[in-house]
Amino acid sequence: MQPEILAPVGSRESLEAAFAAGANALYFGLPQFGARAYANRFTLEETKEIIERAHLMNMKVYITMNTILFEDEIEEAYEQAKALYEMNVDALIIQDLGLLHLLHHRLPALELHASTQLSVSTPEQIEQLKKLGVSRVVLARECTIEQIKACVQTGIEIEVFIHGALCISYSGQCQFSALEYGRSGNRGQCAQPCRMSYTLLEDGKEKKNVPSFLISPKDLSLIHDLEALQKIGVASLKIEGRMKSPEYMYEAVKATKKALEHETITKEDDQKLEVTFNRTFTKGHAFHQTGKELMEMQASNHHGIKVGTVIAVKGKKITIRLIEDLHQNDGIRFEKENWSEGCHVNYIYNKQGKLVNSALKNQTITIDGPLHVKVGSHVKKTVDANLQDEVKSILKSYHRQIEIVGKVSCQGVGHPLVLELSDGKHTVRVQSQEMAQLAKSKASDPQTIEKQMRKTNTSWARFSHIEYDVADDVFFSLKAMNALRKEGLDALKEAHLCFTIEKERPYTYSFTIQDAPMIFAQIEEEYQKGKEDVVWIAEHVSGAKKLARITEDEGFVVRHLGKGPIIFNMNVSNSYAIAALIELGYEKIGVSDELSKEQLLEMIDGFRARYHQIPPIVPCLYQKRRLMLMKHCPINTLLSDGKRIGCRLCHEHNYLLKGKDRRTYSLLGDSACNMRIFSREVEDRFDWLPSLRKRGIDSYLCIFVDESKKTIDSILRRLSDEIGLE
């Protein structure tokens, strides 16, 4: 079975491009609760129209509600989800565990997809999500082909990104933008700090001769490798790009469709993909690309395609030797070393100095461009005006229809003309108001009737075959035949769009909490471990309780939906999310660091009001916030071969990233060579303790990265004094 091609839609133009290119499914967000806060999103009314139109074309529509939700938003999010269910949406793509839990209990017929923001990479995590009603999982982009295959074997539908931008951090695990720029990636507002310029400091000294964009990955493209994904049973091939152009959408879907149909992807196809948007392409983690195969560290913007080299400059007159065609109104960029500047091609002069509207590769031309362009600069095309016009023309003229079959019959004079229509799933039968008359001159034979039946024009369907059983010498007016065709198409459309809404169920979930106070101290190294009245947790410290990594399924504390009594790092931000994790068997639950004090207290109060118990949460009172968790090591990539298996470079020296704003961030690998970026500023929330204690919260967490044992002892002593532990 061929996997679906899933297209992102961020505008009306990209919507039309997805239809025209042959996508099988669409995904987009509404003004609230979608992880692209700055995309041109659709209203509920527009969404209803898009769902109906897509369903007529046998396409599916998935709505992204993939942000974390605060206590005062969860009911509103539920109401939006309910409204979408009542419009017959095919599924919701969700990150928030609380919303998954609530919808599973109240609207169990609504299909739920787990967002890539949940960073799922193992079968065990999928088995847990099944318990919350999830029917499809969008895997973490960090998954290898072997991990993807293992996840497919759980029997759940698996969706995989195959083209578009990559996040360098595990999705859902990045707090860089939220902490440093006040724009949460988990709330759809990412400021893209990964695309910014940094320098690398080793033991306080700047490393020379290293590129600037140290954590900016290439764009993903697996279009040439879809057969491998198809063979292992991936259900959905997802294209990224709700904020990209219609040309990007059209070419990405078209190329994906060609690949699935085993047509050759040509050099021209590749160039069209590149010119619509690329940061150069990688096969990513799926095919084990690491280091420089994964990263584009020279520039983080759209690269386009190289079209020539500057061979002479005189003021604004720039002479270029072309290696690809260039047209008037193309967008180009000049690049040399660390300098770049762009412009549109308004005037092209040939060798004779005459104005032309285009030039072919291998020709030498002169254009009017910006000042300060240097001889030897590369010229890159970043906007293809001809491609823009081509796609606009296709979208203007293309009209997608599905194929239907029909049967036209008439028993004879005095009987109606009967039309039966079928779309393969539904069959309708209509008959004309007008009765057959005896033909006086030309009878309404099959050829005459066929001509009228085929006039489906801009309707949603067209005939692939029409069968006739019409008596001889009968006559129907053209008006009657046209009316019958319209009535039949309307009846089939109604049948095609008909659906059943199951009644909403009351929310009755209940449980009993068995809880005991605990103070958790998370550490990195054995020297940090101290007194025994604290629960020490670590990935690899002897004598400490096991802290599982995000890809590990077992531990005393798990960081994902694995086996263990305690779970952290799941972005818990509302009381239903606490209930979801209790439903999955966890006894103590970490909460999102993105909660303000007021939001945390509101979550606690909401839980107590609904479940009449104190939530078993573990707020963090002290930490240097982890900003990113990456399956990429910039240190090994820059200083070694980029393969970075157990090199421990990050532990042998002190490494910092320094931004253009001169802020610095710590780099430290974990026990599996995942790289973490930490804030160097301490986040101290001890002033929250009185309010938390008043509400009965008695378990807390302190996270230590590079603190000395003396500092750790002091902080834990302070906590013991505050909460009255002996």
Side-chain angles (χ1 to χ4, degrees), residues 364-519:
T364 298
I365 52 123
T366 299
I367 67 165
D368 292 339
L371 292 169
H372 313 302
V373 173
K374 298 173 184 176
V375 172
S377 296
H378 296 308
V379 185
K380 292 184 176 179
K381 185 194 292 187
T382 54
V383 176
D384 189 317
N386 274 15
L387 181 59
Q388 285 184 331
D389 291 342
E390 178 187 329
V391 172
K392 280 179 186 175
S393 177
I394 290 169
L395 301 191
K396 191 174 180 180
S397 60
Y398 181 83
H399 180 69
R400 186 162 169 170
Q401 295 176 304
I402 68 165
E403 291 190 342
I404 59 174
V405 296
K407 181 179 179 182
V408 182
S409 60
C410 178
Q411 295 179 18
V413 174
H415 291 274
L417 191 63
V418 177
L419 174 63
E420 288 184 15
L421 297 177
S422 175
D423 61 9
K425 292 182 179 179
H426 313 91
T427 300
V428 297
R429 186 176 185 275
V430 294
Q431 63 183 43
S432 63
Q433 298 294 315
E434 183 180 296
M435 300 298 152
Q437 300 175 29
L438 182 65
K440 294 179 181 178
S441 54
K442 182 170 175 55
S444 297
D445 56 17
Q447 292 76 23
T448 304
I449 299 171
E450 168 119 0
K451 185 177 179 182
Q452 301 309 311
M453 291 297 132
R454 293 280 184 184
K455 291 182 177 179
T456 55
N457 300 326
T458 59
S459 76
W460 61 281
R462 66 175 182 271
F463 287 100
S464 62
H465 174 72
I466 307 175
E467 183 182 335
Y468 294 93
D469 183 13
V470 180
D472 295 334
D473 299 326
V474 295
F475 174 80
F476 290 94
S477 67
L478 296 180
K479 181 179 179 182
M481 288 187 274
N482 290 336
L484 183 65
R485 181 194 67 244
K486 183 179 183 304
E487 185 182 352
L489 287 172
D490 287 346
L492 187 58
K493 177 180 179 181
E494 185 177 342
H496 195 94
L497 294 178
C498 185
F499 62 97
T500 302
I501 298 174
E502 290 190 14
K503 189 176 179 182
E504 177 185 33
R505 296 182 185 179
Y507 180 76
T508 58
Y509 183 66
S510 62
F511 47 85
T512 301
I513 295 171
Q514 301 292 332
D515 195 19
M518 286 187 181
I519 302 302

Side-chain angles (χ1 to χ4, degrees), residues 612-672:
H612 311 293
Q613 298 175 81
I614 297 168
I617 60 171
V618 186
C620 185
L621 298 180
Y622 174 97
Q623 66 175 321
K624 293 174 182 175
R625 183 97 67 94
R626 190 189 73 189
L627 303 180
M628 281 188 179
L629 174 64
M630 303 184 290
K631 192 181 176 180
H632 163 70
C633 182
I635 296 170
N636 187 281
T637 299
L638 290 169
L639 306 182
S640 184
D641 60 1
K643 303 304 178 185
R644 55 130 189 81
I645 300 173
C647 77
R648 290 193 60 83
L649 277 170
C650 61
H651 291 267
E652 292 172 3
H653 298 274
N654 177 36
Y655 287 100
L656 303 176
L657 285 182
K658 184 170 78 172
K660 291 290 187 184
D661 56 7
R662 307 191 68 77
R663 295 188 214 181
T664 57
Y665 311 97
S666 301
L667 291 169
L668 190 64
D670 69 11
S671 59

Side-chain angles (χ1 to χ4, degrees), residues 30-149:
L30 275 65
Q32 288 180 290
F33 315 124
R36 287 293 182 273
Y38 308 110
N40 297 320
R41 294 160 297 173
F42 297 100
T43 64
L44 269 175
E45 292 74 19
E46 290 172 318
T47 299
K48 185 174 187 294
E49 173 261 314
I50 293 168
I51 291 171
E52 289 186 354
R53 182 181 168 197
H55 285 178
L56 282 175
M57 299 299 106
N58 295 322
M59 297 167 67
K60 293 186 175 182
V61 175
Y62 311 133
I63 301 299
T64 56
M65 293 184 67
N66 52 344
T67 60
I68 60 171
L69 301 167
F70 299 136
E71 192 69 22
D72 62 350
E73 297 173 318
I74 188 79
E75 291 293 345
E76 186 180 356
Y78 171 79
E79 290 301 324
Q80 177 174 295
K82 181 183 175 186
L84 289 164
Y85 170 63
E86 292 171 352
M87 293 176 185
N88 201 24
V89 72
D90 293 285
L92 301 183
I93 304 172
I94 296 174
Q95 173 186 9
D96 192 273
L97 293 172
L99 185 58
L100 286 174
H101 168 84
L102 187 56
L103 290 171
H104 179 48
H105 282 272
R106 295 179 71 179
L107 292 174
L110 174 58
E111 190 165 323
L112 306 175
H113 294 178
S115 168
T116 194
Q117 291 290 116
L118 276 164
S119 52
V120 176
S121 62
T122 76
E124 176 65 28
Q125 295 163 1
I126 289 172
E127 293 301 332
Q128 289 285 69
L129 286 168
K130 284 182 181 179
K131 298 173 188 175
L132 296 179
V134 169
S135 60
R136 178 187 290 186
V137 171
V138 189
L139 290 183
R141 293 173 175 93
E142 287 76 10
C143 288
T144 64
I145 192 78
E146 293 82 7
Q147 289 173 313
I148 295 169
K149 183 177 181 180

Side-chain angles (χ1 to χ4, degrees), residues 160-440:
V160 173
F161 279 93
I162 55 103
H163 190 81
L166 286 171
C167 290
I168 193 59
S169 174
Y170 275 89
S171 295
Q173 298 297 314
C174 181
Q175 297 187 34
F176 205 148
S177 179
L179 187 65
E180 295 298 310
Y181 302 99
R183 289 170 50 179
S184 169
N186 282 314
R187 305 271 293 164
Q189 302 162 342
C190 184
Q192 295 192 305
C194 56
R195 304 298 182 188
M196 297 177 186
S197 175
Y198 299 93
T199 53
L200 181 69
L201 304 182
E202 181 183 85
D203 297 330
K205 295 180 180 179
E206 185 176 321
K207 296 293 288 185
K208 301 298 183 182
N209 303 316
V210 299
S212 295
F213 297 92
L214 302 182
I215 53 173
S216 180
K218 297 178 179 181
D219 285 352
L220 179 70
S221 190
L222 302 181
I223 289 173
H224 287 273
D225 303 276
L226 298 185
E227 188 175 354
L229 296 174
Q230 190 172 2
K231 273 184 179 177
I232 63 176
V234 170
S236 181
L237 307 175
K238 187 170 197 168
I239 297 166
E240 181 277 337
R242 275 185 278 161
M243 299 179 72
K244 302 270 178 50
S245 68
E247 306 88 67
Y248 170 93
M249 166 71 61
Y250 183 81
E251 294 301 330
V253 172
K254 189 178 75 170
T256 303
K257 190 171 183 180
K258 284 183 74 172
L260 288 179
E261 292 173 355
H262 305 293
E263 297 179 31
T264 302
I265 305 295
T266 65
K267 180 185 175 183
E268 183 183 5
D269 293 328
D270 285 335
Q271 285 191 332
K272 285 181 176 180
L273 287 171
E274 290 168 7
V275 80
T276 58
F277 199 92
N278 85 91
R279 297 182 180 94
T280 68
F281 288 132
T282 177
K283 294 184 182 183
H285 300 291
F287 291 92
H288 304 281
Q289 295 205 318
T290 60
K292 293 174 184 177
E293 298 169 325
L294 182 72
M295 306 301 290
E296 176 46 81
M297 295 181 287
Q298 299 300 325
S300 63
N301 54 4
H302 170 36
H303 283 31
I305 59 173
K306 186 177 177 183
V307 294
T309 304
V310 175
I311 60 173
V313 177
K314 189 174 182 179
K316 286 191 172 185
K317 298 294 182 185
I318 302 165
T319 303
I320 303 167
R321 182 178 293 119
L322 295 175
I323 59 170
E324 297 291 345
D325 299 350
L326 190 68
H327 300 87
Q328 192 174 17
N329 298 322
D330 282 347
I332 60 173
R333 182 183 297 120
F334 300 96
E335 293 181 355
K336 189 168 186 183
E337 296 166 351
N338 293 322
W339 175 89
S340 74
E341 189 163 346
C343 69
H344 273 83
V345 179
N346 294 319
Y347 301 102
I348 303 175
Y349 304 90
N350 64 17
K351 261 191 168 182
Q352 290 72 42
K354 292 184 178 179
L355 275 172
V356 293
N357 57 20
S358 65
L360 302 177
K361 64 181 179 180
N362 300 322
Q363 291 184 343
T364 298
I365 52 123
T366 299
I367 67 165
D368 292 339
L371 292 169
H372 313 302
V373 173
K374 298 173 184 176
V375 172
S377 296
H378 296 308
V379 185
K380 292 184 176 179
K381 185 194 292 187
T382 54
V383 176
D384 189 317
N386 274 15
L387 181 59
Q388 285 184 331
D389 291 342
E390 178 187 329
V391 172
K392 280 179 186 175
S393 177
I394 290 169
L395 301 191
K396 191 174 180 180
S397 60
Y398 181 83
H399 180 69
R400 186 162 169 170
Q401 295 176 304
I402 68 165
E403 291 190 342
I404 59 174
V405 296
K407 181 179 179 182
V408 182
S409 60
C410 178
Q411 295 179 18
V413 174
H415 291 274
L417 191 63
V418 177
L419 174 63
E420 288 184 15
L421 297 177
S422 175
D423 61 9
K425 292 182 179 179
H426 313 91
T427 300
V428 297
R429 186 176 185 275
V430 294
Q431 63 183 43
S432 63
Q433 298 294 315
E434 183 180 296
M435 300 298 152
Q437 300 175 29
L438 182 65
K440 294 179 181 178

Side-chain angles (χ1 to χ4, degrees), residues 124 510 525 549 551-552 701 723:
E124 176 65 28
S510 62
E525 302 290 346
R549 297 186 298 270
T551 55
E552 290 182 322
L701 168 68
I723 63 178

